[in-house]
Amino acid sequence: MSGGLLVAGTTSDAGKSVVTAGICRWLVRQGVKVAPFKAQNMSLNSFVTTEGAEIGRAQAMQAQACRVEPTALMNPVLLKPGGEQSSQVVLLGKPVGEMSARGYHGGRQQQLLGTVLDCLEQLRGTYDAVICEGAGSPAEINLRRTDIVNMGIARNAGLPVLVVGDIDRGGVFASFFGTVALLSPEDQRCVAGFLVNKFRGDVSLLEPGLDMLHGLTGRKTYGVLPFRHGLGIDEEDGLRVSLRGAVRESVVAPPVGEDVLRVAVCAVPLMSNFTDVDALAAEPGVVVRFVDRPEELSDADLVIVPGTRGTVRALEWLRERGLADALVRRAAEQRPVLGICGGFQILGEHIEDDVESRRGHVGGLGILPVRVRFAREKTLTRPQGEALGEHVEGYEIHHGVAEVQGGTPFLDGCRVGQTWGTHWHGSLESDGFRRAFLREVAAAAGRRFVPAPDTSFAALREEQLDRLGDLIEQHADTDALWRLIESGAPQGLPFIPPGAPA
């Protein structure tokens, strides 16, 4: 068998990523060898595979749901926005240049269709099933001609399409009907049916509407997933701390010590890999929030300057907001600050950037004795090391090359007083290191905070993936889903006018 399915959505953030992960986890628990796939992803949250390829974090999370190692085949095209008009194009895990949206959709995207289909074919030749995730909405009629991620991939690869709608937003029936009705007859034949996401209340009250939807479209609804807090793991973009909700609602979440620990994350423009703080938010008694005003740093026990796709732009933003001066004062007062990747570069003395911003020489905040030069080749590695007496693993994604000229060594960066800096993403997911780091922060902040001795970030993530699998198993028609994956869309599905514009 070599089955497949494309999970599309009525909108962005309808739940495609988590539904795809849930289907993957359900299948692997049935003994199916399964892999995820997203032809084209636009995200600043990315991950580095073991072979040194950069892919979207959502696909890395979905690979974990499948219990397989992520590879570049699972996300052959990654677009990393660098502003309102352009993105870095990452092809098969490596950057190949910057491109405007007009240039990409004007021809480059369609040229990549062959590469995308080849990657999908390789996965289908290796796995029993490949669960694909779409992007945005398949009914984006202005982009259909060059589409390689929704109906373009479904038509070319013969994949049935399941359309997910977020009922919590309202208007889900109109969204389902309108999505199908704006597709061409050929595209409509691929759309097998619908899946309702984030439903609150009594399902029996929804069922008449689902019956009417079936009558209008000839397509069934494959499940109604109830609303569950804390399931948005490894989001593509946004400002949500994905594990915080689940931990806050847990009966075992109170602080171990007498105090909580407050963490403020500077919400810099083009923030990348904000998932770095998920592991902190998973700790009982750690409160994480995103901030954009200097006064919000005053009561924080730890301030994090996160990664960003625009280091110089983020530095200017910090200065414009008064946050830069607040960070300098905080460091001088020996109050904890952590800079990660672009945030680490910002804390340094000097930035030479002829690659990302092309601004040349720019002065940093001067908190750490570091000079940064942007190289055209991107660093993509999965380093391991030791810090604070504990084993640490992480991953690096950056153009900036740091020359550390002092301080105490800290991972690949350095530490001066209570200010730390490193390029390593994901280091706080190493449980022993995270606990040691939080003990240092608590001591410096004068907080009687004690890290929980048994918090396992990996175990929490596995629990969440299992919860996603449970949602599919308990609230979807899994027999019908399996037939869809194995045999494709039902024959004879009716055309819903008006169809796509000529």
Side-chain angles (χ1 to χ4, degrees):
M1 169 201 167
S2 180
L5 174 70
L6 176 72
V7 178
T10 56
T11 62
S12 295
D13 202 31
K16 298 183 292 290
S17 294
V18 293
V19 167
T20 300
I23 293 174
C24 287
R25 179 49 61 101
W26 161 65
L27 285 172
V28 81
R29 294 195 308 205
Q30 310 308 308
V32 178
K33 188 179 179 184
V34 60
F37 179 79
K38 185 163 185 173
Q40 172 194 293
N41 198 347
M42 177 174 279
S43 178
L44 289 173
N45 283 337
S46 56
F47 183 73
V48 179
T49 67
T50 53
E51 73 266 36
E54 184 180 9
I55 66 171
R57 274 200 69 103
Q59 280 60 66
M61 175 269 291
Q62 290 160 358
Q64 185 175 350
C66 297
R67 296 178 179 146
V68 298
E69 274 291 324
T71 72
L73 293 176
M74 297 171 183
N75 179 205
V77 181
L78 174 64
L79 305 178
K80 302 193 72 175
E84 295 296 326
Q85 299 294 329
S86 67
S87 295
Q88 183 181 66
V89 181
V90 179
L91 179 62
L92 293 174
K94 304 296 181 183
V96 294
E98 297 279 335
M99 188 166 289
S100 69
R102 180 179 292 275
Y104 184 69
H105 290 286
R108 175 61 169 162
Q109 185 180 35
Q110 188 65 19
Q111 295 170 8
L112 296 173
L113 180 60
T115 299
V116 163
L117 290 171
D118 180 62
C119 292
L120 177 57
E121 189 61 30
Q122 289 185 58
L123 289 174
R124 296 183 81 175
T126 304
Y127 293 89
D128 299 329
V130 179
I131 308 303
C132 307
E133 179 188 342
S137 162
E140 290 168 346
I141 53 179
N142 57 314
L143 302 177
R144 176 61 185 92
R145 183 178 61 84
T146 57
D147 171 49
I148 64 170
V149 65
N150 289 308
M151 304 313 298
I153 195 78
R155 284 265 299 279
N156 279 281
L159 295 171
V161 178
L162 183 69
V163 180
V164 177
D166 180 356
I167 198 170
D168 200 46
R169 295 181 174 191
V172 74
F173 292 115
S175 298
F176 281 145
F177 183 86
T179 296
V180 179
L182 281 175
L183 301 178
S184 68
E186 296 80 8
D187 285 352
Q188 285 193 24
R189 283 196 284 270
C190 296
V191 179
F194 313 107
L195 186 76
V196 177
N197 191 28
K198 298 183 183 178
F199 180 72
R200 306 172 190 251
D202 185 347
V203 176
S204 66
L205 299 176
L206 188 67
E207 288 170 350
L210 300 179
D211 292 339
M212 286 184 271
L213 182 67
H214 184 269
L216 287 166
T217 66
R219 291 158 173 85
K220 66 173 289 181
T221 298
Y222 284 76
V224 178
L225 307 186
F227 186 95
R228 292 287 186 268
H229 289 284
L231 289 180
I233 53 180
D234 286 8
E235 300 286 344
E236 291 182 351
D237 282 302
L239 285 181
R240 279 193 346 99
V241 181
S242 57
L243 283 173
R244 180 170 60 187
V247 172
R248 277 185 173 175
E249 292 154 13
S250 169
V251 295
V252 296
V256 176
E258 297 179 45
D259 289 343
V260 298
L261 207 63
R262 296 173 176 83
V263 179
V265 184
C266 296
V268 298
L270 298 174
M271 188 190 309
S272 61
N273 289 74
F274 63 84
T275 47
D276 282 335
V277 301
D278 284 359
L280 293 179
E283 283 284 350
V286 175
V287 179
V288 179
R289 68 182 189 273
F290 292 90
V291 304
D292 59 4
R293 298 192 302 270
E295 56 269 24
E296 293 179 291
L297 305 188
S298 59
D299 68 341
D301 303 306
L302 169 66
V303 173
I304 295 179
V305 188
T308 171
R309 173 81 167 85
T311 299
V312 171
R313 178 178 170 185
L315 177 57
E316 291 173 342
W317 180 87
L318 289 168
R319 286 178 167 142
E320 290 166 0
R321 295 266 176 160
L323 285 159
D325 289 339
L327 286 167
V328 171
R329 287 194 303 270
R330 184 181 179 89
E333 294 166 0
Q334 298 295 305
R335 301 181 66 199
V337 176
L338 171 64
I340 301 174
C341 200
F344 166 43
Q345 297 165 7
I346 285 169
L347 296 179
E349 298 171 346
H350 169 85
I351 298 170
E352 190 70 33
D353 181 11
D354 295 318
V355 176
E356 193 175 76
S357 69
R358 298 184 175 89
R359 292 285 298 277
H361 172 84
V362 178
L365 296 188
I367 300 173
L368 294 176
V370 175
R371 300 175 71 84
V372 177
R373 177 186 54 82
F374 273 66
R376 297 200 175 276
E377 186 170 344
K378 183 183 284 190
T379 298
L380 296 167
T381 62
R382 289 270 293 270
Q384 299 185 34
E386 185 175 300
L388 304 179
E390 299 287 347
H391 179 71
V392 192
E393 297 182 11
Y395 57 99
E396 294 185 50
I397 305 171
H398 55 91
H399 283 280
V401 178
E403 180 186 350
V404 179
Q405 299 181 322
T408 303
F410 175 69
L411 301 177
D412 71 316
C414 65
R415 169 185 180 178
V416 173
Q418 294 301 323
T419 300
W420 294 264
T422 177
H423 277 125
W424 290 23
H425 294 290
S427 63
L428 294 168
E429 296 180 20
S430 297
D431 297 327
F433 167 71
R434 182 180 65 254
R435 286 192 278 269
F437 177 70
L438 289 176
R439 282 192 291 268
E440 291 248 354
V441 169
R447 295 286 185 187
R448 290 172 294 181
F449 168 84
V450 178
D454 54 357
T455 300
S456 167
F457 185 77
L460 285 171
R461 172 159 295 195
E462 276 296 304
E463 288 173 14
Q464 282 200 313
L465 292 171
D466 277 331
R467 290 173 66 198
L468 291 176
D470 292 343
L471 280 180
I472 298 299
E473 191 167 333
Q474 296 167 11
H475 300 282
D477 185 344
T478 52
D479 288 339
L481 265 182
W482 178 251
R483 288 193 297 272
L484 200 59
I485 293 166
E486 191 175 33
S487 305
Q491 297 297 307
L493 293 170
F495 170 70
I496 310 302

